[in-house]
Amino acid sequence: MTTITVVSAGLSEPSSSRLLADRLADAAVTALGDPDDGVPGGATRVVHVDLRPLAHEITDAMLTRFKPPALGAAVAEVVEADAVVFVAPVFTAGMSGLAKSFLDVLETDALVDMPVLLGATGGSPRHSLTVEHGFRPVFSYLRAAVAPTAVFAATEDWGDAEGVAALDGRIRRAGADLAHLVRTSRRRVPVTEPDVVDFGSLLEGLGQ
């Protein structure tokens, strides 16, 4: 069973960030189940973590370093997952404060080697590089295994046919990237202990 935790930091309901996050997760699930890639697939479980209802608990945790129950459960879903889809709106040319605060309450090594797919939403395509210079460095600092394809969706990407087609293509590629990271993840590869030969057996081998 592969678990993908979808973290969305949208502040409105409905939220374009949640919509993008869901589509990215669907693309990853599809790619993980692709029978043509020569890699046996398996069942995939998708868990949703919306940060909006947790805003007060995230603030409390920032101030007290204590995670209230709902926030603790959300953090556990993230750190125990096989992969994470993380989508947040862009405010003032950067990651929203709610999204960054959630990352700030995680333990330092919580996301080491975690396959992560990044997405962002904004009103204008002028913010499209924010996910690269504002989101990716944060996850690199956390030593996550970040998918090379990140997806930014502006308002116009949801409206006209050309924008929708281009967005669909980026989503499919990003999903395939995350699926590849999941299959090769260090967090899933079991650590095998090396075979240890006792000293007596070594001496016996020398005597033969």
Side-chain angles (χ1 to χ4, degrees):
M1 173 73 73
T2 298
T3 299
I4 299 176
T5 296
V6 181
V7 179
S8 55
L11 300 183
S12 60
E13 292 184 351
S15 165
S16 60
S17 293
R18 172 62 189 267
L19 176 60
L20 177 60
D22 288 345
R23 293 187 60 187
L24 289 171
D26 289 344
V29 170
T30 299
L32 282 167
D34 185 358
D36 296 327
D37 61 6
V39 180
T44 303
R45 169 177 171 258
V46 177
V47 177
H48 296 279
V49 172
D50 290 322
L51 300 187
R52 185 178 184 273
L54 300 172
H56 291 293
E57 293 197 3
I58 291 171
T59 301
D60 290 342
M62 290 280 290
L63 297 174
T64 66
R65 308 310 299 175
F66 173 76
K67 298 181 183 65
L71 177 59
V75 168
E77 292 287 7
V78 171
V79 302
E80 295 172 8
D82 297 298
V84 171
V85 174
F86 189 92
V87 181
V90 172
F91 294 145
T92 321
M95 182 188 301
S96 68
L98 178 61
K100 181 59 168 61
S101 296
F102 177 74
L103 296 176
D104 287 342
V105 303
L106 299 179
E107 297 297 329
T108 304
D109 297 330
L111 297 182
V112 172
D113 293 327
M114 174 71 77
V116 175
L117 175 54
L118 297 177
T121 58
S124 167
R126 291 180 300 170
H127 298 302
S128 59
L129 288 179
T130 301
V131 69
E132 299 298 336
H133 67 69
F135 288 39
R136 192 177 296 273
V138 175
F139 284 88
S140 295
Y141 175 81
L142 296 172
R143 292 181 290 162
V146 185
T149 302
V151 179
F152 176 85
T155 301
E156 63 191 54
D157 290 324
W158 305 104
D160 64 274
E162 183 178 349
V164 169
L167 179 60
D168 286 345
R170 296 197 301 273
I171 289 173
R172 285 194 299 271
R173 178 167 181 171
D177 284 351
L178 185 63
H180 174 73
L181 289 177
V182 169
R183 294 189 182 99
T184 59
S185 173
R186 293 178 179 177
R187 292 173 75 105
R188 299 189 70 184
V189 175
V191 178
T192 56
E193 295 293 335
D195 293 333
V196 178
V197 181
D198 65 88
F199 190 66
S201 299
L202 288 174
L203 291 177
E204 290 178 4
L206 292 175
Q208 293 178 352

mmCIF file of all heavy atoms in Angstrom, residues 7-23 49-53 87-91 96 98 120-122 153 158:
data_model
loop_
_atom_site.group_PDB
_atom_site.id
_atom_site.type_symbol
_atom_site.label_atom_id
_atom_site.label_comp_id
_atom_site.label_asym_id
_atom_site.label_seq_id
_atom_site.Cartn_x
_atom_site.Cartn_y
_atom_site.Cartn_z
ATOM 1 N N VAL A 7 -1.355 17.874 0.925
ATOM 2 C CA VAL A 7 -1.430 19.042 1.805
ATOM 3 C C VAL A 7 -1.814 20.253 0.962
ATOM 4 O O VAL A 7 -1.114 20.598 0.005
ATOM 5 C CB VAL A 7 -0.086 19.307 2.503
ATOM 6 C CG1 VAL A 7 -0.188 20.539 3.406
ATOM 7 C CG2 VAL A 7 0.348 18.089 3.302
ATOM 8 N N SER A 8 -2.921 20.878 1.292
ATOM 9 C CA SER A 8 -3.342 22.078 0.577
ATOM 10 C C SER A 8 -3.530 23.214 1.567
ATOM 11 O O SER A 8 -4.116 23.034 2.634
ATOM 12 C CB SER A 8 -4.633 21.831 -0.214
ATOM 13 O OG SER A 8 -5.656 21.333 0.624
ATOM 14 N N ALA A 9 -3.003 24.380 1.183
ATOM 15 C CA ALA A 9 -3.006 25.530 2.093
ATOM 16 C C ALA A 9 -3.906 26.645 1.602
ATOM 17 O O ALA A 9 -3.693 27.814 1.921
ATOM 18 C CB ALA A 9 -1.576 26.051 2.277
ATOM 19 N N GLY A 10 -4.904 26.302 0.820
ATOM 20 C CA GLY A 10 -5.838 27.317 0.345
ATOM 21 C C GLY A 10 -6.623 27.939 1.485
ATOM 22 O O GLY A 10 -6.939 27.275 2.471
ATOM 23 N N LEU A 11 -6.954 29.211 1.335
ATOM 24 C CA LEU A 11 -7.655 29.934 2.400
ATOM 25 C C LEU A 11 -9.138 30.123 2.119
ATOM 26 O O LEU A 11 -9.872 30.603 2.982
ATOM 27 C CB LEU A 11 -7.007 31.302 2.619
ATOM 28 C CG LEU A 11 -5.530 31.276 3.036
ATOM 29 C CD1 LEU A 11 -5.032 32.691 3.281
ATOM 30 C CD2 LEU A 11 -5.334 30.413 4.277
ATOM 31 N N SER A 12 -9.566 29.767 0.925
ATOM 32 C CA SER A 12 -10.977 29.933 0.586
ATOM 33 C C SER A 12 -11.627 28.577 0.393
ATOM 34 O O SER A 12 -10.960 27.557 0.276
ATOM 35 C CB SER A 12 -11.119 30.765 -0.697
ATOM 36 O OG SER A 12 -10.463 30.119 -1.789
ATOM 37 N N GLU A 13 -12.949 28.580 0.365
ATOM 38 C CA GLU A 13 -13.728 27.370 0.108
ATOM 39 C C GLU A 13 -14.806 27.679 -0.924
ATOM 40 O O GLU A 13 -15.688 28.506 -0.642
ATOM 41 C CB GLU A 13 -14.358 26.845 1.402
ATOM 42 C CG GLU A 13 -13.361 26.312 2.410
ATOM 43 C CD GLU A 13 -14.042 25.718 3.632
ATOM 44 O OE1 GLU A 13 -15.290 25.892 3.757
ATOM 45 O OE2 GLU A 13 -13.371 25.095 4.438
ATOM 46 N N PRO A 14 -14.758 27.055 -2.100
ATOM 47 C CA PRO A 14 -13.749 26.099 -2.562
ATOM 48 C C PRO A 14 -12.424 26.785 -2.847
ATOM 49 O O PRO A 14 -12.371 28.005 -3.006
ATOM 50 C CB PRO A 14 -14.379 25.531 -3.832
ATOM 51 C CG PRO A 14 -15.245 26.638 -4.337
ATOM 52 C CD PRO A 14 -15.804 27.303 -3.113
ATOM 53 N N SER A 15 -11.379 25.981 -2.945
ATOM 54 C CA SER A 15 -10.036 26.512 -3.091
ATOM 55 C C SER A 15 -9.389 25.990 -4.365
ATOM 56 O O SER A 15 -9.418 24.785 -4.633
ATOM 57 C CB SER A 15 -9.194 26.103 -1.875
ATOM 58 O OG SER A 15 -7.821 26.285 -2.124
ATOM 59 N N SER A 16 -8.793 26.882 -5.139
ATOM 60 C CA SER A 16 -8.066 26.446 -6.332
ATOM 61 C C SER A 16 -6.833 25.640 -5.945
ATOM 62 O O SER A 16 -6.412 24.748 -6.687
ATOM 63 C CB SER A 16 -7.672 27.653 -7.194
ATOM 64 O OG SER A 16 -6.847 28.553 -6.476
ATOM 65 N N SER A 17 -6.259 25.926 -4.778
ATOM 66 C CA SER A 17 -5.108 25.149 -4.309
ATOM 67 C C SER A 17 -5.509 23.707 -4.039
ATOM 68 O O SER A 17 -4.793 22.763 -4.397
ATOM 69 C CB SER A 17 -4.510 25.780 -3.049
ATOM 70 O OG SER A 17 -3.930 27.036 -3.333
ATOM 71 N N ARG A 18 -6.665 23.509 -3.426
ATOM 72 C CA ARG A 18 -7.148 22.149 -3.175
ATOM 73 C C ARG A 18 -7.468 21.445 -4.492
ATOM 74 O O ARG A 18 -7.174 20.256 -4.663
ATOM 75 C CB ARG A 18 -8.375 22.191 -2.274
ATOM 76 C CG ARG A 18 -9.089 20.847 -2.090
ATOM 77 C CD ARG A 18 -8.194 19.796 -1.427
ATOM 78 N NE ARG A 18 -8.821 18.490 -1.452
ATOM 79 C CZ ARG A 18 -9.581 17.999 -0.443
ATOM 80 N NH1 ARG A 18 -9.801 18.717 0.643
ATOM 81 N NH2 ARG A 18 -10.099 16.796 -0.526
ATOM 82 N N LEU A 19 -8.049 22.179 -5.437
ATOM 83 C CA LEU A 19 -8.368 21.592 -6.735
ATOM 84 C C LEU A 19 -7.096 21.130 -7.436
ATOM 85 O O LEU A 19 -7.035 20.000 -7.962
ATOM 86 C CB LEU A 19 -9.108 22.608 -7.598
ATOM 87 C CG LEU A 19 -9.426 22.174 -9.034
ATOM 88 C CD1 LEU A 19 -10.296 20.926 -9.046
ATOM 89 C CD2 LEU A 19 -10.109 23.322 -9.784
ATOM 90 N N LEU A 20 -6.066 21.970 -7.449
ATOM 91 C CA LEU A 20 -4.798 21.590 -8.075
ATOM 92 C C LEU A 20 -4.173 20.422 -7.336
ATOM 93 O O LEU A 20 -3.656 19.481 -7.961
ATOM 94 C CB LEU A 20 -3.846 22.777 -8.099
ATOM 95 C CG LEU A 20 -2.458 22.506 -8.672
ATOM 96 C CD1 LEU A 20 -2.535 22.025 -10.119
ATOM 97 C CD2 LEU A 20 -1.579 23.757 -8.573
ATOM 98 N N ALA A 21 -4.196 20.451 -6.013
ATOM 99 C CA ALA A 21 -3.607 19.365 -5.222
ATOM 100 C C ALA A 21 -4.281 18.032 -5.531
ATOM 101 O O ALA A 21 -3.613 16.998 -5.684
ATOM 102 C CB ALA A 21 -3.727 19.683 -3.731
ATOM 103 N N ASP A 22 -5.606 18.036 -5.634
ATOM 104 C CA ASP A 22 -6.334 16.807 -5.946
ATOM 105 C C ASP A 22 -5.959 16.276 -7.321
ATOM 106 O O ASP A 22 -5.777 15.061 -7.508
ATOM 107 C CB ASP A 22 -7.836 17.053 -5.879
ATOM 108 C CG ASP A 22 -8.340 17.242 -4.458
ATOM 109 O OD1 ASP A 22 -7.595 16.899 -3.519
ATOM 110 O OD2 ASP A 22 -9.478 17.729 -4.294
ATOM 111 N N ARG A 23 -5.826 17.150 -8.290
ATOM 112 C CA ARG A 23 -5.486 16.717 -9.638
ATOM 113 C C ARG A 23 -4.055 16.186 -9.712
ATOM 114 O O ARG A 23 -3.776 15.229 -10.439
ATOM 115 C CB ARG A 23 -5.691 17.857 -10.627
ATOM 116 C CG ARG A 23 -7.166 18.242 -10.781
ATOM 117 C CD ARG A 23 -7.378 19.243 -11.881
ATOM 118 N NE ARG A 23 -6.932 18.718 -13.165
ATOM 119 C CZ ARG A 23 -6.886 19.455 -14.285
ATOM 120 N NH1 ARG A 23 -7.267 20.725 -14.255
ATOM 121 N NH2 ARG A 23 -6.473 18.919 -15.413
ATOM 122 N N VAL A 49 -4.914 16.620 3.823
ATOM 123 C CA VAL A 49 -4.670 17.482 4.975
ATOM 124 C C VAL A 49 -4.882 18.921 4.519
ATOM 125 O O VAL A 49 -4.063 19.483 3.784
ATOM 126 C CB VAL A 49 -3.240 17.309 5.523
ATOM 127 C CG1 VAL A 49 -2.953 18.352 6.601
ATOM 128 C CG2 VAL A 49 -3.046 15.907 6.084
ATOM 129 N N ASP A 50 -6.006 19.508 4.906
ATOM 130 C CA ASP A 50 -6.289 20.914 4.602
ATOM 131 C C ASP A 50 -5.822 21.757 5.784
ATOM 132 O O ASP A 50 -6.217 21.510 6.938
ATOM 133 C CB ASP A 50 -7.780 21.118 4.364
ATOM 134 C CG ASP A 50 -8.259 20.484 3.072
ATOM 135 O OD1 ASP A 50 -7.501 20.544 2.080
ATOM 136 O OD2 ASP A 50 -9.372 19.926 3.056
ATOM 137 N N LEU A 51 -5.004 22.757 5.494
ATOM 138 C CA LEU A 51 -4.423 23.553 6.574
ATOM 139 C C LEU A 51 -5.353 24.642 7.100
ATOM 140 O O LEU A 51 -5.189 25.095 8.234
ATOM 141 C CB LEU A 51 -3.111 24.187 6.091
ATOM 142 C CG LEU A 51 -2.012 23.216 5.654
ATOM 143 C CD1 LEU A 51 -0.720 23.980 5.369
ATOM 144 C CD2 LEU A 51 -1.774 22.140 6.713
ATOM 145 N N ARG A 52 -6.325 25.046 6.313
ATOM 146 C CA ARG A 52 -7.218 26.135 6.743
ATOM 147 C C ARG A 52 -7.878 25.857 8.088
ATOM 148 O O ARG A 52 -7.856 26.722 8.976
ATOM 149 C CB ARG A 52 -8.271 26.398 5.661
ATOM 150 C CG ARG A 52 -9.184 27.576 5.940
ATOM 151 C CD ARG A 52 -10.157 27.771 4.782
ATOM 152 N NE ARG A 52 -10.993 28.957 4.959
ATOM 153 C CZ ARG A 52 -12.142 28.977 5.612
ATOM 154 N NH1 ARG A 52 -12.594 27.844 6.164
ATOM 155 N NH2 ARG A 52 -12.841 30.084 5.721
ATOM 156 N N PRO A 53 -8.472 24.664 8.312
ATOM 157 C CA PRO A 53 -9.094 24.416 9.616
ATOM 158 C C PRO A 53 -8.076 24.302 10.757
ATOM 159 O O PRO A 53 -8.469 24.339 11.929
ATOM 160 C CB PRO A 53 -9.824 23.075 9.412
ATOM 161 C CG PRO A 53 -9.937 22.905 7.932
ATOM 162 C CD PRO A 53 -8.718 23.553 7.377
ATOM 163 N N VAL A 87 0.621 21.907 -1.973
ATOM 164 C CA VAL A 87 0.167 23.010 -2.818
ATOM 165 C C VAL A 87 -0.269 24.176 -1.938
ATOM 166 O O VAL A 87 -1.007 23.992 -0.969
ATOM 167 C CB VAL A 87 -1.001 22.583 -3.730
ATOM 168 C CG1 VAL A 87 -1.438 23.745 -4.612
ATOM 169 C CG2 VAL A 87 -0.596 21.390 -4.590
ATOM 170 N N ALA A 88 0.191 25.369 -2.293
ATOM 171 C CA ALA A 88 -0.160 26.559 -1.526
ATOM 172 C C ALA A 88 -0.364 27.735 -2.472
ATOM 173 O O ALA A 88 0.218 27.778 -3.557
ATOM 174 C CB ALA A 88 0.943 26.891 -0.515
ATOM 175 N N PRO A 89 -1.179 28.693 -2.070
ATOM 176 C CA PRO A 89 -1.314 29.912 -2.875
ATOM 177 C C PRO A 89 -0.090 30.800 -2.716
ATOM 178 O O PRO A 89 0.638 30.702 -1.721
ATOM 179 C CB PRO A 89 -2.564 30.578 -2.289
ATOM 180 C CG PRO A 89 -2.631 30.086 -0.878
ATOM 181 C CD PRO A 89 -2.068 28.702 -0.891
ATOM 182 N N VAL A 90 0.124 31.642 -3.710
ATOM 183 C CA VAL A 90 1.231 32.597 -3.678
ATOM 184 C C VAL A 90 0.694 33.941 -3.210
ATOM 185 O O VAL A 90 -0.244 34.482 -3.786
ATOM 186 C CB VAL A 90 1.871 32.741 -5.071
ATOM 187 C CG1 VAL A 90 2.897 33.873 -5.071
ATOM 188 C CG2 VAL A 90 2.530 31.434 -5.484
ATOM 189 N N PHE A 91 1.303 34.461 -2.140
ATOM 190 C CA PHE A 91 0.971 35.796 -1.641
ATOM 191 C C PHE A 91 2.249 36.620 -1.589
ATOM 192 O O PHE A 91 3.268 36.170 -1.049
ATOM 193 C CB PHE A 91 0.348 35.730 -0.238
ATOM 194 C CG PHE A 91 -0.997 35.061 -0.195
ATOM 195 C CD1 PHE A 91 -1.365 34.294 0.892
ATOM 196 C CD2 PHE A 91 -1.896 35.193 -1.233
ATOM 197 C CE1 PHE A 91 -2.607 33.685 0.956
ATOM 198 C CE2 PHE A 91 -3.138 34.581 -1.185
ATOM 199 C CZ PHE A 91 -3.494 33.827 -0.090
ATOM 200 N N SER A 96 2.417 31.198 0.982
ATOM 201 C CA SER A 96 1.528 31.767 1.987
ATOM 202 C C SER A 96 2.048 31.491 3.394
ATOM 203 O O SER A 96 2.707 30.480 3.651
ATOM 204 C CB SER A 96 0.113 31.190 1.843
ATOM 205 O OG SER A 96 0.090 29.816 2.189
ATOM 206 N N LEU A 98 0.489 30.607 6.048
ATOM 207 C CA LEU A 98 -0.072 29.397 6.648
ATOM 208 C C LEU A 98 0.726 28.172 6.231
ATOM 209 O O LEU A 98 1.041 27.313 7.061
ATOM 210 C CB LEU A 98 -1.540 29.244 6.231
ATOM 211 C CG LEU A 98 -2.268 27.996 6.731
ATOM 212 C CD1 LEU A 98 -2.309 27.976 8.247
ATOM 213 C CD2 LEU A 98 -3.681 27.930 6.143
ATOM 214 N N ALA A 120 1.543 25.345 -6.875
ATOM 215 C CA ALA A 120 1.193 26.668 -6.368
ATOM 216 C C ALA A 120 0.100 27.258 -7.246
ATOM 217 O O ALA A 120 -0.027 26.918 -8.427
ATOM 218 C CB ALA A 120 2.409 27.585 -6.342
ATOM 219 N N THR A 121 -0.687 28.142 -6.657
ATOM 220 C CA THR A 121 -1.740 28.836 -7.394
ATOM 221 C C THR A 121 -1.594 30.333 -7.171
ATOM 222 O O THR A 121 -1.088 30.780 -6.139
ATOM 223 C CB THR A 121 -3.133 28.383 -6.935
ATOM 224 O OG1 THR A 121 -3.267 28.623 -5.522
ATOM 225 C CG2 THR A 121 -3.350 26.913 -7.224
ATOM 226 N N GLY A 122 -2.036 31.094 -8.168
ATOM 227 C CA GLY A 122 -1.961 32.542 -8.066
ATOM 228 C C GLY A 122 -2.826 33.196 -9.115
ATOM 229 O O GLY A 122 -3.284 32.543 -10.062
ATOM 230 N N ALA A 153 -0.463 27.116 -11.282
ATOM 231 C CA ALA A 153 -1.709 27.344 -11.999
ATOM 232 C C ALA A 153 -2.217 28.751 -11.710
ATOM 233 O O ALA A 153 -2.523 29.081 -10.565
ATOM 234 C CB ALA A 153 -2.765 26.311 -11.600
ATOM 235 N N TRP A 158 -7.394 27.897 -15.643
ATOM 236 C CA TRP A 158 -8.613 27.134 -15.390
ATOM 237 C C TRP A 158 -9.722 27.496 -16.362
ATOM 238 O O TRP A 158 -10.760 26.837 -16.396
ATOM 239 C CB TRP A 158 -9.122 27.401 -13.971
ATOM 240 C CG TRP A 158 -8.132 27.139 -12.894
ATOM 241 C CD1 TRP A 158 -7.437 28.071 -12.190
ATOM 242 C CD2 TRP A 158 -7.725 25.867 -12.381
ATOM 243 N NE1 TRP A 158 -6.615 27.461 -11.269
ATOM 244 C CE2 TRP A 158 -6.776 26.110 -11.356
ATOM 245 C CE3 TRP A 158 -8.072 24.560 -12.685
ATOM 246 C CZ2 TRP A 158 -6.169 25.091 -10.639
ATOM 247 C CZ3 TRP A 158 -7.464 23.540 -11.969
ATOM 248 C CH2 TRP A 158 -6.531 23.806 -10.960
#
